[in-house]
Amino acid sequence: MMQKFQKFGAAMFVPVLLFSFAGIVVALGSLFNNQAVFGSLANPGTTWYSIWDTISAGGWTVFKQEALLFVVGLPIGLANKSRGRAAMEAVITYMTYNYFVGAMLSHWGASFGIPNFDKIQIVENSTNHGLTEIAGIKTLDTSIIGALVVAGIVIWLHNHYFDKKLPDWLGTFQGSTYVYILGFFLMIPLALITCWGWPKVQLGITGMQHFITNSGVIGVWIYNFLNRILIPTGLHHLVYIPFQYGPAVVAGGLQPYWLKHLTKFALSTRPLKQLAPEMGFQLWGNEKVFLAPVICLAFYATAKKNKKKQTSALLIPAALTSFFAGITEPIDFTYLFAAPILWVIYSLLSATMNTIMFSFGVVGNFIFGSIDMAAENWIPLWANHWQTFLVQFTIGIIFAILTFFIFKFMIIKFDYATPGREKDDEDVHLLNKKEYQAKKESASSATTTARPSKNEKETDPYVERATAFLDLLGGSSNIKELSSCATRLRVTVADPNKMGSDAQFKSAKAVNVVHHGKAIQVIVGLDVAQVLEAMQELRKQDNKQD
């Protein structure tokens, strides 16, 4: 069950990757049309205003169509085969579902508590009585929840029935058509259940929003702690996505809410915490800017003298990536399994830092690195809210110093094998395939499979790593499922005993390996998509050889 949740969380990350860029575009549009910064140049009607308003309109695409993005993204991550067709099936089935909902409410809206469905006009920045418009269809606003449910149903249908052989006279209905036919009829009862139950759920969500919004510092601390401590399980996606992009706190999610009101907040002299108290749930990027880089510094300070140069080469890019882009996994997984207590301490420090910041009035959209923070917070809001950011910097620096000394003390006191402190014999050279194959062949009678030539591997570093990872996972025949999230390969193997050691994976340029029985995560880095594609091509070659 844990493995399924991990795969689901990773699949949800497929569309989430688009939100960072879209957020920057919208934030820049809001910044350059901020009259407090650019004066009359940013007045409505000017050419300057029109240009940036147009650019912002394009940036809003991702946020306004997020339900469709999740419908497309889940099949890409979870379909066993023909993922492009699965994505198409999911989109058309989701639209069918919403057409059913709209038609039912049009005919029987009074029975479901929405008597004036046909008369309600969808207005931007309004609750619209719980309604919305998706791809031109007026329907109930189920946000990403409806999208995930429908996508999940379609993925199950696709994985079970896409390859089903129908009688020859029904051959035209095979494949995607058959999946859609099944989905079509399943959407009728689902739409009926939605019309009956979702208005009640919306009332419940409203109550939950009120509770969370008024839970104060305790709610902020718990949220931030879970969002950090759960990263090794991959379940942190399920914690923050309903807050950031879903209806857990505000309709449409906290990030779009912040961007929509950014200009208003910039012009106001009232404290930000009074203007947007719910944005205390969006502070979890602070540890990426203030804490993760000093953790790297602590690793360097405690590294062996003969490994400091190698350690700095590993940690400097990781620290910069965390500070500027907000991607911490290359750091996280360098010590998470060598010293898990440090991970717990890091999670406690992160949650406490963010909660103290919130207590002193710091709120905003602080979820990525310093570039996003500057574009979406510091630059547009500095004129009227610089005091808030000075508080943020002060608390962040204090916790950075505290984190450095705690980590340094713990590493030395308990001799944790953090980067630079590994045993000398674990600092192995880049995996030599011939050496590894010789060892594997001596341990089993498995035959080797075809691989790209040496020249091909030398010109394509992705193929080189893909070849090594495939071999270390026990070969194509040992891999049952293969996918990825933002930085990790997610693999289900038939026999974990056929795998290579973690040290061999590291020598092949993996950051680390996570083991959950037959569910394996190979921490690769931000170019995991290219490595995955190369591995899939190699597996195709292996299958042809078989």
Side-chain angles (χ1 to χ4, degrees):
M1 181 59 69
M2 177 63 71
Q3 179 185 349
K4 292 180 179 179
F5 274 114
Q6 290 172 337
K7 289 183 63 179
F8 182 76
M12 289 183 72
F13 206 74
V14 173
V16 168
L17 292 172
L18 301 174
F19 284 82
S20 178
F21 170 74
I24 293 174
V25 171
V26 172
L28 288 175
S30 178
L31 168 65
F32 289 118
N33 275 341
N34 188 332
Q35 297 175 31
V37 178
F38 289 93
S40 60
L41 185 65
N43 287 338
T46 64
T47 301
W48 175 272
Y49 178 92
S50 299
I51 290 173
W52 285 106
D53 185 65
T54 300
I55 293 173
S56 295
W60 278 109
T61 303
V62 171
F63 299 107
K64 292 183 177 180
Q65 304 299 330
E66 64 179 25
L68 284 174
L69 287 175
F70 280 102
V71 167
V72 173
L74 244 63
I76 293 174
L78 294 176
N80 291 339
K81 59 179 66 176
S82 300
R83 295 178 177 180
R85 289 180 177 270
M88 178 191 70
E89 297 156 10
V91 170
I92 191 61
T93 304
Y94 180 64
M95 294 176 68
T96 301
Y97 159 76
N98 282 295
Y99 271 120
F100 280 147
V101 170
M104 290 178 182
L105 292 178
S106 178
H107 293 298
W108 304 289
S111 301
F112 298 118
I114 308 178
N116 299 314
F117 175 79
D118 288 331
K119 297 180 180 180
I120 296 173
Q121 298 295 318
I122 304 300
V123 180
E124 195 168 353
N125 298 324
S126 171
T127 59
N128 295 308
H129 302 277
L131 303 178
T132 190
E133 192 171 87
I134 298 174
I137 310 165
K138 188 163 75 171
T139 180
L140 278 170
D141 186 4
T142 58
S143 188
I144 64 170
I145 295 177
L148 297 179
V149 170
V150 173
I153 291 172
V154 174
I155 291 165
W156 188 88
L157 292 173
H158 178 87
N159 288 341
H160 285 79
Y161 298 105
F162 179 76
D163 290 334
K164 183 175 178 58
K165 182 71 172 69
L166 299 179
D168 291 342
W169 60 280
L170 291 175
T172 188
F173 298 116
Q174 290 181 168
S176 291
T177 304
Y178 186 51
V179 172
Y180 175 60
I181 291 172
L182 296 174
F184 180 93
F185 289 106
L186 284 175
M187 291 304 104
I188 296 175
L190 180 62
L192 182 62
I193 293 171
T194 302
C195 291
W196 171 79
W198 192 251
K200 299 178 177 62
V201 172
Q202 288 176 326
L203 291 175
I205 290 176
T206 301
M208 182 182 66
Q209 291 172 0
H210 180 76
F211 171 78
I212 293 176
T213 303
N214 291 278
S215 61
V217 295
I218 295 176
V220 172
W221 191 93
I222 293 174
Y223 173 81
N224 279 279
F225 178 73
L226 292 176
N227 201 30
R228 178 54 50 183
I229 197 71
L230 290 177
I231 282 181
T233 67
L235 299 179
H236 61 299
H237 300 316
L238 305 182
V239 174
Y240 77 81
I241 285 180
F243 282 77
Q244 188 171 341
Y245 306 116
V249 180
V250 297
L254 289 171
Q255 184 170 2
Y257 170 83
W258 175 259
L259 296 174
K260 286 179 181 178
H261 296 85
L262 188 57
T263 300
K264 172 185 173 183
F265 296 154
L267 295 173
S268 176
T269 57
R270 293 174 57 198
L272 284 175
K273 192 174 179 181
Q274 293 182 15
L275 295 169
E278 56 279 334
M279 296 305 295
F281 293 103
Q282 294 287 87
L283 299 179
W284 41 275
N286 282 295
E287 57 259 34
K288 303 175 181 181
V289 171
F290 294 107
L291 303 190
V294 300
I295 289 175
C296 292
L297 183 60
F299 292 156
Y300 178 79
T302 56
K304 296 179 181 179
K305 289 184 178 180
N306 64 327
K307 291 190 175 184
K308 282 189 177 290
K309 184 176 181 180
Q310 180 184 359
T311 303
S312 63
L314 170 70
L315 294 178
I316 289 175
L320 293 176
T321 299
S322 176
F323 183 80
F324 289 113
I327 301 296
T328 63
E329 286 185 329
I331 301 172
D332 299 339
F333 289 100
T334 58
Y335 73 94
L336 174 59
F337 305 102
I341 188 62
L342 292 180
W343 181 258
V344 177
I345 293 173
Y346 174 40
S347 301
L348 292 170
L349 287 168
S350 299
T352 304
M353 177 185 67
N354 292 332
T355 304
I356 291 176
M357 285 185 178
F358 175 71
S359 299
F360 280 86
V362 178
V363 296
N365 199 43
F366 298 105
I367 56 175
F368 295 112
S370 58
I371 294 176
D372 291 278
M373 289 184 180
E376 299 183 16
N377 301 273
W378 300 331
I379 295 175
L381 298 173
W382 186 266
N384 288 326
H385 302 285
W386 60 270
Q387 301 94 333
T388 300
F389 301 137
L390 288 184
V391 171
Q392 177 190 18
F393 300 154
T394 301
I395 296 173
I397 291 171
I398 291 172
F399 269 83
I401 296 171
L402 185 64
T403 299
F404 173 79
F405 284 108
I406 289 176
F407 266 64
K408 183 178 179 181
F409 171 79
M410 292 289 291
I411 292 169
I412 296 174
K413 175 72 174 178
F414 298 101
D415 194 25
Y416 292 131
T418 50
R421 296 177 62 85
E422 307 92 342
K423 295 178 181 179
D424 290 335
D425 59 359
E426 289 185 6
D427 187 14
V428 293
H429 60 283
L430 185 63
L431 179 68
N432 184 303
K433 182 189 169 188
K434 291 183 179 179
E435 293 174 357
Y436 174 70
Q437 287 285 40
K439 292 180 181 179
K440 189 170 73 169
E441 288 172 1
S442 66
S444 67
S445 59
T447 59
T448 60
T449 55
R451 289 287 183 267
S453 66
K454 180 179 179 181
N455 289 337
E456 287 179 294
K457 291 198 293 181
E458 287 176 349
T459 58
D460 192 336
Y462 302 126
V463 172
E464 181 180 29
R465 278 188 291 165
T467 302
F469 293 154
L470 200 58
D471 287 339
L472 289 170
L473 289 166
S476 294
S477 61
N478 196 44
I479 296 176
K480 297 176 65 177
E481 295 182 5
L482 177 64
S483 61
S484 72
C485 64
T487 58
R488 313 175 224 179
L489 290 171
R490 293 176 178 264
V491 191
T492 302
V493 297
D495 184 0
N497 294 323
K498 293 182 179 181
M499 293 177 53
S501 68
D502 289 0
Q504 289 173 317
F505 274 99
K506 289 180 182 179
S507 71
K509 298 185 180 180
V511 176
N512 216 320
V513 184
V514 186
H515 300 267
H516 293 293
K518 295 182 178 181
I520 309 298
Q521 298 177 28
V522 182
I523 318 311
V524 176
L526 296 175
D527 54 357
V528 66
Q530 289 83 358
V531 174
L532 173 64
E533 184 177 358
M535 290 181 70
Q536 290 170 335
E537 288 299 320
L538 291 172
R539 292 187 72 197
K540 288 180 182 179
Q541 295 178 22
D542 291 343
N543 291 333
K544 290 179 180 179
Q545 291 291 326
D546 293 340

